[in-house]
Amino acid sequence: MNGELKQKFPSWTNDWYTEYDLVLSDDIDSLLSCELLRQLKGYEINYFYDFERIYKVKNTPINENIIGVDTDFVRGKNWGNHITISNANANLNCICDITNDNYSKKYCGSTALEIISYYNYDISHLTEEGKMILLAIDCGFKGFYNEYFHNIQKYYLCDVMQLEELYQVIQRHTIEEFYEVIRKYKLYGKIYIKQGRLTTDIELKALSEMLDLPLLLPNCEFELFRKFQRKNKSISLLSEQDMQNVVSLAFTRKNFVSYTISL
């Protein structure tokens, strides 16, 4: 990653001593990011957040040291990739001062690629398809094929994250080939709780082989920890009470947000 921008990330990203628990959210970007953090720093998933509820691993102590992973919490420590209202996240859009005012200049890639870049995680041994998977998560390839976003996408991928090898992969493929990767591995699939355990339709076994990482859901029982209410609306319509009670928030369009509030 670009050294000047890397220095702007929160200091906890370089804390190699504190034992943090991870909060997994409901998609492959979060799961891959959690596994990367486990490989790099030994952190384990102890919570699951589906944007309406938080679950914790049953019969485990509450650790005050937690990191949300692709959760968009407005408080605390988070790795993320969306535009949000917190400026304290490990998130390129926060680091680069991207808001809804300059929405069109946002980073449009995955949290996992940020972690790979930040910690200089080696992906050189992956096959062409393995690298395509990394780009397909959260549709990190799309900007390349849009005349307006092409240079912005190249800026983040090459100049900021210094992942030129992935930019070269995009150049060799059509947009439809990336969508075929998404369909093949069911990258749009969700992670959810069923009878107290995490489950998904995402092709985790095949992805594990392609990415040379054990992408496994925690094999343990979860219990409900807290409930929330999820809302979607124009940012201009958020009430003062909502803003006081907001738990997580992400801009899904320039002036439109998806957010969760405490009950």
Side-chain angles (χ1 to χ4, degrees):
M1 180 174 282
N2 174 285
E4 183 178 348
L5 286 175
K6 186 173 182 177
Q7 289 180 357
K8 295 182 179 181
F9 273 69
S11 59
W12 54 263
T13 58
N14 277 319
D15 180 353
W16 296 89
Y17 302 102
T18 305
E19 293 185 6
Y20 288 98
D21 283 344
L22 300 178
V23 185
L24 171 72
S25 67
D26 64 354
D27 64 13
I28 186 59
D29 188 20
S30 181
L31 181 61
L32 174 56
S33 298
C34 284
E35 179 55 30
L36 288 166
L37 291 171
R38 190 183 75 85
Q39 294 283 332
L40 289 161
K41 308 190 87 173
Y43 302 159
E44 298 287 349
I45 296 167
N46 198 45
Y47 299 89
F48 172 67
Y49 180 51
D50 66 3
F51 299 92
E52 292 183 347
R53 305 169 190 83
I54 287 183
Y55 300 86
K56 66 179 290 293
V57 175
K58 195 172 183 179
N59 298 324
T60 57
I62 296 174
N63 183 356
E64 294 183 356
N65 297 310
I66 64 171
I67 297 173
V69 183
D70 203 24
T71 56
D72 301 312
F73 292 141
V74 300
R75 300 172 189 85
K77 300 174 177 65
N78 298 270
W79 272 101
N81 62 332
H82 298 108
I83 296 175
T84 183
I85 58 174
S86 171
N87 59 5
N89 291 345
N91 176 336
L92 279 174
N93 285 313
C94 296
I95 301 302
C96 296
D97 297 318
I98 304 298
T99 68
N100 62 320
D101 291 330
N102 55 353
Y103 187 85
S104 61
K105 299 184 183 299
K106 70 174 183 174
Y107 166 65
C108 290
S110 66
T111 301
L113 284 186
E114 292 178 289
I115 293 171
I116 286 169
S117 171
Y118 184 84
Y119 292 110
N120 196 27
Y121 183 84
D122 184 21
I123 58 171
S124 62
H125 64 291
L126 297 182
T127 65
E128 183 85 353
E129 188 165 330
K131 294 175 182 177
M132 288 180 72
I133 290 169
L134 292 178
L135 289 161
I137 293 172
D138 272 21
C139 292
F141 59 88
K142 283 180 68 175
F144 177 85
Y145 303 97
N146 182 296
E147 182 178 359
Y148 183 82
F149 288 106
H150 180 93
N151 289 336
I152 295 172
Q153 194 251 13
K154 183 180 180 182
Y155 166 73
Y156 282 111
L157 202 55
C158 297
D159 298 338
V160 174
M161 296 195 291
Q162 299 180 344
L163 295 173
E164 291 87 355
E165 62 186 300
L166 293 185
Y167 186 74
Q168 293 169 8
V169 171
I170 299 179
Q171 292 177 300
R172 293 193 287 266
H173 297 278
T174 66
I175 192 169
E176 179 54 35
E177 288 176 301
F178 280 103
Y179 280 116
E180 179 56 36
V181 168
I182 290 173
R183 290 189 290 268
K184 178 178 179 180
Y185 296 99
K186 300 180 181 178
L187 298 182
Y188 285 151
K190 291 295 184 181
I191 299 167
Y192 54 94
I193 291 280
K194 184 177 182 180
Q195 297 180 343
R197 292 185 176 271
L198 292 175
T199 188
T200 187
D201 296 325
I202 303 168
E203 297 289 353
L204 296 184
K205 181 178 180 181
L207 286 171
S208 297
E209 294 173 356
M210 294 303 300
L211 298 178
D212 193 26
L213 283 170
L215 292 174
L216 304 172
L217 295 173
N219 185 25
C220 48
E221 189 173 354
F222 283 75
E223 59 186 357
L224 181 63
F225 186 59
R226 287 185 64 187
K227 281 187 176 183
F228 307 100
Q229 183 179 6
R230 190 173 190 177
K231 296 185 176 184
N232 300 276
K233 64 174 64 172
S234 169
I235 188 68
S236 63
L237 298 177
L238 261 68
S239 67
E240 183 177 341
Q241 184 178 4
D242 275 359
M243 290 302 294
Q244 291 175 350
N245 295 322
V246 68
V247 175
S248 63
L249 181 148
F251 282 85
T252 53
R253 297 196 296 274
K254 178 177 172 61
N255 292 307
F256 198 84
V257 293
S258 178
Y259 64 105
T260 297
I261 60 172
S262 299
L263 293 175

